[in-house]
Amino acid sequence: MHLLIPAAGSGKRMGSDRNKLLLPLHGRPILAWTLLSAAAADQITWIGIISQPVDQPAFQVLLQDLSLSKPVVLVDGGSTRQESVERGLQALPADAHHVLIHDGARCLATPDLLNRCATSLLSDGAALIAAIPVKDTIKVVNAEGWIDHTPDRSQLWAAQTPQGFTVAQLKACHERARIQGWEVTDDAALLERCQLPVKIVPGEETNLKVTTPSDLAIAAWILQTRFQE
Ligand code: CTP
Ligand code: MG
């Protein structure tokens, strides 16, 4: 299974002066944890890291330190996550028929989650995303700050990555999005726009996306707890 890791952001909400994926977390850069998990997932055989050229020297150093036994390729990213994934898809080897997309910032996803997504994708070919039931009551709010309505929580799921697709289908959806000018924040949303089915695979509560300094502190605590076990 081929894995693309979008890692070409800048981490604005983290408020740091460099790509947040290079910030230290429990003794290693954030991205190193994502890569270690991918390396430990047997189903993953090839890794593409989508990255900004400015970060590539630092990513190369990180890769030298990890010396992973799987092929790892650096691919130039774009100005949005959507554009980065599209570029990653173009860089996949010709024999890649299925792909998992997993955000570099979701550095706590376990190898088990990556393997489960890969196995599910290979067994029935259906597009999938890891997701967990929403715990909060969610409000839909209008531009003036007034609540419009409260969706039924039992139908709400929080989307995570990995997200898995057949390469041809995801490429076709990205191409259509570019032509139509659709802008989305995850790949499943492109399939939804194309009216294609996407199923849910149980995600992990600890599979948070490191976005703000508080996420970083929580991630550090989770890793510390894992290594105490
Ligand atoms: N990403 C990417 N290319 C972009 C923007 C984001 O590959 N042009 C990646 C990020 O590196 C991250 C993932 O997409 O691994 C999810 O994005 P997010 O958490 O929003 O990261 P950033 O865009 O870096 O953060 P921010 O939105 O706060 O600037
Ligand atoms: Mg972003």
Side-chain angles (χ1 to χ4, degrees):
M1 174 67 61
H2 292 71
L3 172 69
L4 285 173
I5 301 181
S10 55
K12 279 195 211 77
R13 287 169 288 178
M14 187 60 76
S16 123
D17 56 356
R18 56 184 171 158
N19 187 342
K20 65 183 175 186
L21 299 183
L22 289 165
L23 295 178
L25 167 65
H26 201 69
R28 295 181 186 278
I30 291 177
L31 183 63
W33 293 107
T34 316
L35 288 167
L36 284 170
S37 190
D42 308 337
Q43 298 281 327
I44 307 296
T45 52
W46 183 98
I47 301 170
I49 305 175
I50 310 166
S51 41
Q52 296 297 343
V54 67
D55 289 329
Q56 287 174 2
F59 285 7
Q60 293 284 13
V61 170
L62 189 157
L63 286 168
Q64 271 159 21
D65 287 348
L66 295 177
S67 65
L68 305 180
S69 57
K70 301 178 184 185
V72 183
V73 170
L74 294 184
V75 181
D76 287 358
S79 59
T80 62
R81 183 188 181 281
Q82 186 174 331
E83 211 179 294
S84 289
V85 173
E86 195 176 11
R87 291 194 186 186
L89 291 171
Q90 301 308 329
L92 284 173
D95 66 347
H97 301 299
H98 296 91
V99 65
L100 290 185
I101 315 285
H102 180 56
D103 286 345
R106 289 196 187 265
C107 55
L108 300 180
T110 65
D112 178 62
L113 178 58
L114 286 156
N115 279 334
R116 280 192 287 116
C117 290
T119 306
S120 168
L121 180 61
L122 289 176
S123 67
D124 61 16
L128 60 86
I129 72 165
I132 55 169
V134 164
K135 288 183 288 185
D136 295 318
T137 295
I138 304 288
K139 305 289 183 188
V140 175
V141 178
N142 70 19
E144 288 76 44
W146 296 90
I147 292 173
D148 183 79
H149 69 280
T150 304
D152 173 11
R153 189 171 58 192
S154 68
Q155 289 193 302
L156 296 177
W157 291 70
Q160 302 184 339
T161 65
Q163 303 198 347
F165 310 90
T166 58
V167 173
Q169 195 176 54
L170 187 57
K171 272 187 177 171
C173 292
H174 270 274
E175 199 176 322
R176 192 159 161 206
R178 189 164 21 82
I179 293 163
Q180 306 275 351
W182 296 338
E183 285 177 18
V184 295
T185 51
D186 76 352
D187 296 282
L190 290 181
L191 270 79
E192 295 157 39
R193 292 274 185 115
C194 293
Q195 301 194 320
L196 294 166
V198 183
K199 77 174 184 186
I200 294 291
V201 166
E204 294 172 333
E205 201 172 345
T206 51
N207 180 21
L208 57 88
K209 183 162 72 69
V210 177
T211 307
T212 61
S214 348
D215 295 324
L216 195 56
I218 296 165
W221 179 82
I222 292 169
L223 281 171
Q224 200 179 329
T225 313
R226 274 188 197 170
F227 284 98
Q228 273 166 5
E229 281 166 2

